Amino acid sequence: MTEFTGKTVLITGAAGALGRALVDAFAKAGANTVVAARRNSEQIAAETAGEALGVALDVTSENAWADAVSATEARFGGVDVLINNAAYLQVGTAESIAIDEWRKVIDTNLTGALLGIRAVVPSMRSRGGGSIVNINSIAGLAAAPGLIAYSSSKWALRGLMRAAAAELAPDNIRVNAVHPGIIDTPLAYGPDGSELVPTSSFAIPRQASPDEITEFVTFVASDRASFATGAELVVDGGFTLGPIK
């Protein structure tokens, strides 16, 4: 028996670097893992240990969410844990961001999370409760000049999380957030291979590995965090402390 044996975990954005790490972590912990991504979901599920289901999911589509949850219920009976990990980032300032790009960021990062919560709640309620974890960002905690749409979406995601936590508490559904710092993924580097956000001057002067972040996400999603809802876990290597040297 492992921590998530008998539980079904649906992970969005599962084709990305952090998403793949989350899929592997929950699978190793015994979960029935639902690999939800716009592409390659079935291939990733086939490569995943244990019981895994791949579902095609555009998080901005209510119909796609309904289909994903229906497929999950047909295969595993329902959803116990939702990891809202899908995200979209577009560089742009308040003056320069194209409105269609602004809307795409908001639709993916904020509306996508709302649609996910809305889609899984009936399933969780029927199973006596559940756990929802929103993957937020340090951009939702501090100023992020040049990332006006992404930062706005992540700040708003904090409000969504707290309101949902209060609304769903009577149903024994916990809603929490993890705020990762800079993760060693392709998104952390510019075209020339340099770090977009240099980490050498911060308290822990390096990027996090995706596997390090999954340790915190699995904790928050698990019964070990049963007394936490509406909470935010900051895992940023001291980024929000500011430069220390």
Side-chain angles (χ1 to χ4, degrees):
M1 295 286 289
T2 51
E3 189 164 37
F4 289 92
T5 297
K7 293 188 175 182
T8 299
V9 181
L10 192 159
I11 303 162
T12 71
L18 180 57
R20 290 293 296 265
L22 288 166
V23 166
D24 290 342
F26 280 103
K28 289 176 183 176
N32 301 319
T33 308
V34 182
V35 178
R38 292 172 65 95
R39 57 189 180 278
N40 299 329
S41 58
E42 292 185 359
Q43 178 184 339
I44 296 168
E47 298 168 353
T48 300
E51 294 293 323
L53 169 68
V55 295
L57 178 62
D58 173 355
V59 297
T60 69
S61 166
E62 289 186 81
N63 290 336
W65 269 110
D67 291 344
V69 172
S70 292
T72 301
E73 291 176 333
R75 174 75 174 271
F76 298 124
V79 181
D80 299 291
V81 177
L82 169 65
I83 309 297
N84 273 322
N85 172 63
Y88 178 68
L89 183 149
Q90 177 63 45
V91 174
T93 67
E95 293 181 290
S96 69
I97 188 76
I99 292 303
D100 60 339
E101 289 292 346
W102 165 274
R103 290 179 175 137
K104 184 175 180 180
V105 173
I106 299 298
D107 283 350
T108 302
N109 300 353
L110 181 61
T111 307
L114 170 66
L115 294 177
I117 292 170
R118 180 179 294 179
V120 303
V121 161
S123 186
M124 289 183 174
R125 189 179 286 131
S126 71
R127 291 163 81 85
S131 176
I132 298 169
V133 182
N134 293 336
I135 306 302
N136 204 297
S137 168
I138 51 175
L141 298 170
L147 294 175
I148 192 72
Y150 185 77
S151 182
S152 296
S153 72
K154 293 299 188 177
W155 277 86
L157 187 59
R158 297 174 68 188
L160 171 66
M161 180 273 293
R162 290 184 63 82
E167 292 171 359
L168 299 174
D171 296 305
N172 194 33
I173 298 173
R174 298 184 300 109
V175 189
N176 294 292
V178 174
H179 291 263
I182 308 303
I183 307 173
D184 187 7
T185 72
L187 290 177
Y189 299 93
D192 62 355
S194 63
E195 289 184 315
L196 290 176
V197 179
T199 58
S200 60
S201 65
F202 292 99
I204 300 176
R206 61 174 177 82
Q207 299 174 348
S209 72
D211 288 340
E212 284 180 297
I213 303 303
T214 67
E215 293 288 336
F216 294 92
V217 177
T218 54
F219 166 72
V220 173
S222 76
D223 291 340
R224 286 179 290 153
S226 60
F227 198 53
T229 195
E232 299 177 287
L233 181 57
V234 180
V235 189
D236 68 350
F239 179 91
T240 47
L241 296 174
I244 62 170
K245 57 182 179 180

